Amino acid sequence: MKYLYFIFCLILCACEYSEPAGLCHNPPTLSKDTLSFNAQGGTDSVIVSDYFWVIVEYPFWENNCEQYRGSISEYCAEEFCYGEIIKSKCSWFELQKTDAYTITISVNPNETNQERRFQVDMQAGNCGAGFTIIQSAE
């Protein structure tokens, strides 16, 4: 019986616990989760707490936005941007990663009778975050 207990203890000590893949312990935090613009448009920024993040691409594809990667800004000339999206031009707004922590959003005037919305998602490893751009109707 002593040997069985000893073998059981060896097995327990030899096992190593590992977290399941895909867990996120430290998601990036954002300075704002919603950017609200009036019908005249304007410019605003979101600050991200983590420097290792990328903008998720699929919402921009679905909305026929032009995407730019690589060194189109001074920020990317100083640091390699790993082929990530650093600027997107959409029909009513433009978004640009201006440094390692900042996204700047410029919104055009809204001449429609409808509110505009767009969800921008970001990813840092297995962690995600995002914010919504809202522009009121004319």
Side-chain angles (χ1 to χ4, degrees):
M1 184 69 166
K2 247 195 286 191
Y3 295 114
L4 187 59
Y5 179 71
F6 179 71
I7 291 171
F8 179 72
C9 287
L10 280 177
I11 292 172
L12 282 178
C13 293
C15 294
E16 185 177 314
Y17 175 77
S18 63
E19 298 279 341
L23 286 182
C24 175
H25 294 290
N26 192 19
T29 55
L30 307 177
S31 61
K32 302 171 187 170
D33 60 1
T34 303
L35 285 95
S36 297
F37 295 91
N38 60 28
Q40 285 75 38
T43 301
D44 201 353
S45 296
V46 173
I47 309 298
V48 185
S49 65
D50 189 343
Y51 67 92
F52 179 69
W53 54 273
V54 294
I55 299 167
V56 177
E57 300 177 38
Y58 64 85
F60 296 98
W61 291 340
E62 293 174 355
N63 290 280
N64 297 319
C65 300
E66 294 178 46
Q67 297 176 345
Y68 302 89
R69 299 172 185 276
S71 58
I72 63 162
S73 70
E74 291 176 20
Y75 159 67
C76 284
E78 295 170 9
E79 295 183 33
F80 184 65
C81 288
Y82 305 105
E84 67 188 72
I85 296 172
I86 57 168
K87 186 174 186 178
S88 287
K89 286 185 178 182
C90 299
S91 62
W92 59 277
F93 73 93
E94 184 176 302
L95 171 146
Q96 183 165 351
K97 185 173 180 179
T98 51
D99 65 34
Y101 298 93
T102 309
I103 300 175
T104 301
I105 298 90
S106 299
V107 175
N108 300 331
N110 186 353
E111 297 170 352
T112 70
N113 291 325
Q114 296 181 352
E115 179 181 84
R116 298 170 166 170
R117 289 181 170 263
F118 192 88
Q119 177 66 33
V120 177
D121 294 317
M122 299 174 326
Q123 185 174 354
N126 290 326
C127 300
F131 60 93
T132 305
I133 303 167
I134 301 172
Q135 185 179 28
S136 59
E138 184 177 38

